[in-house]
Amino acid sequence: TFIDSDDSMEPELIETLYLAQKKSGANLVSCRWRNVYEDGRIERSSGQTNGSVTVGKEEALRRMLYQIDTDVCVWAKLYQRDLFKSLRFEEGKIYEDFAIMFPILEQTKKVTLGYDGYCYLQRSAGTMRQSFHRKKMALIDYAEVMYRHISTVYPKLAEAAAYRAVRADFNIYLQIPRTAEYKEERKRVENCIKKYRKTVLRDQYAGFGTKAPLLCTWISFGLVYRLKDMKKLGKRQGQI
C-alpha cells in the first residue's frame, strides 16, 4: 500500500482492507477517501457510493475511468505484491499515478471497492494546486497513451476512456496562463479536447459538469475559463 507523507488513515484501515482481500480473493482492494482541507473542513469525495463490491477487471477499469469509488491515485489501496513485479514508477515525472494505475488494474482478475478510512489532505502547495509549469503537460501525454490503449484493447470502454482523458485535459487547460508564452501548450490541449468532444457529449454517463464546458468549446475555448471557479467540474452524478 501507499500513503502520502501528509495524508492520514484510520488506525484499522490496513487491517480492514486485508480482511476484505482475504474474504474476496481480490488482487486489489480500494477504499474511499475523505478530503481534508487546511482550514479543518472535511468532506467525502464526490463520485463515491455506499457499501462494498467485488468486480472483474473490465468493470474495475470502467469505474476507475468514471471515477466511481476509485481513481488513478495509488494511495487508498491494498495491492498483492505480484502486481508490481514488472512495474515501476517513472522517475522524475509528475502525475506518475495516472501512468501506472491502468497497467496495474490490467493484471487483476478481481478488485474489491468500498470501505472508508483514508484522509487526503488538500494542500495549497500540492501538485494539483501549484501554478502551471510545462512538466504538468505529462498528464496530457499519459491521458493520450491511456486512451489509445484502452480504446484498442477494451473497445467497450472507449467512451469511458474518452471521458477520463478529457477530464485530465480540462484539469491542465484551466491551469495554463492565457499568455503568448504558453500558446503552443494551450493549442495542444484544445486539440485533444476536440478529439474527445463528440464522444463524451454522447456519453450517457458523463455528467453535466463535464458536458457544459465541452459545449462551450464549440463557441469559444475562452468561455471555459469562466467555469474555472466551479467547485466541482464534471463529477458524475452517481451513475453505475
Side-chain angles (χ1 to χ4, degrees), residues 87-137:
L87 292 174
R88 293 294 184 270
F89 292 98
E90 291 192 51
E91 294 186 14
K93 293 290 186 79
I94 59 175
Y95 299 113
E96 66 276 17
D97 290 23
F98 198 106
I100 203 170
M101 272 311 308
F102 293 103
I104 288 173
L105 273 189
E106 284 193 277
Q107 297 183 74
T108 65
K109 292 182 179 179
K110 291 195 294 184
V111 175
T112 296
L113 306 169
Y115 310 101
D116 291 284
Y118 193 93
C119 300
Y120 177 35
L121 180 62
Q122 301 284 317
R123 293 189 300 119
S124 56
T127 299
M128 299 292 288
R129 297 171 184 270
Q130 289 175 0
S131 299
F132 177 79
H133 50 83
R134 287 188 170 90
K135 281 189 175 182
K136 288 194 170 189
M137 293 296 290

Side-chain angles (χ1 to χ4, degrees), residues 8-10 32-37 42-45 48 75 116-122:
S8 61
M9 62 172 66
E10 297 297 332
R32 293 179 287 265
W33 63 93
R34 296 185 291 271
N35 294 320
V36 180
Y37 296 88
I42 300 176
E43 63 180 25
R44 190 177 183 182
S45 182
Q48 300 188 21
W75 41 258
D116 291 284
Y118 193 93
C119 300
Y120 177 35
L121 180 62
Q122 301 284 317

Side-chain angles (χ1 to χ4, degrees), residues 160-216:
Y163 168 86
R164 191 64 186 89
V166 87
R167 293 273 303 147
D169 293 338
F170 274 126
N171 180 302
I172 297 301
Y173 189 72
L174 292 173
Q175 297 181 52
I176 302 176
R178 299 181 70 184
T179 62
E181 179 183 359
Y182 296 105
K183 181 179 179 180
E184 183 178 332
E185 286 78 11
R186 286 199 309 277
K187 190 64 178 177
R188 182 190 169 192
V189 181
E190 286 173 3
N191 287 336
C192 288
I193 291 171
K194 289 177 182 178
K195 179 171 65 176
Y196 306 122
R197 185 167 55 191
K198 286 185 179 180
T199 300
V200 178
L201 285 172
R202 291 195 299 262
D203 185 358
Q204 63 175 318
Y205 294 117
F208 177 75
T210 298
K211 291 182 176 181
L214 282 174
L215 288 170
C216 287

Side-chain angles (χ1 to χ4, degrees), residues 11-22:
E12 71 281 359
L13 180 61
I14 297 299
E15 178 183 8
T16 299
L17 298 182
Y18 175 75
L19 292 175
Q21 190 279 327
K22 297 296 286 185

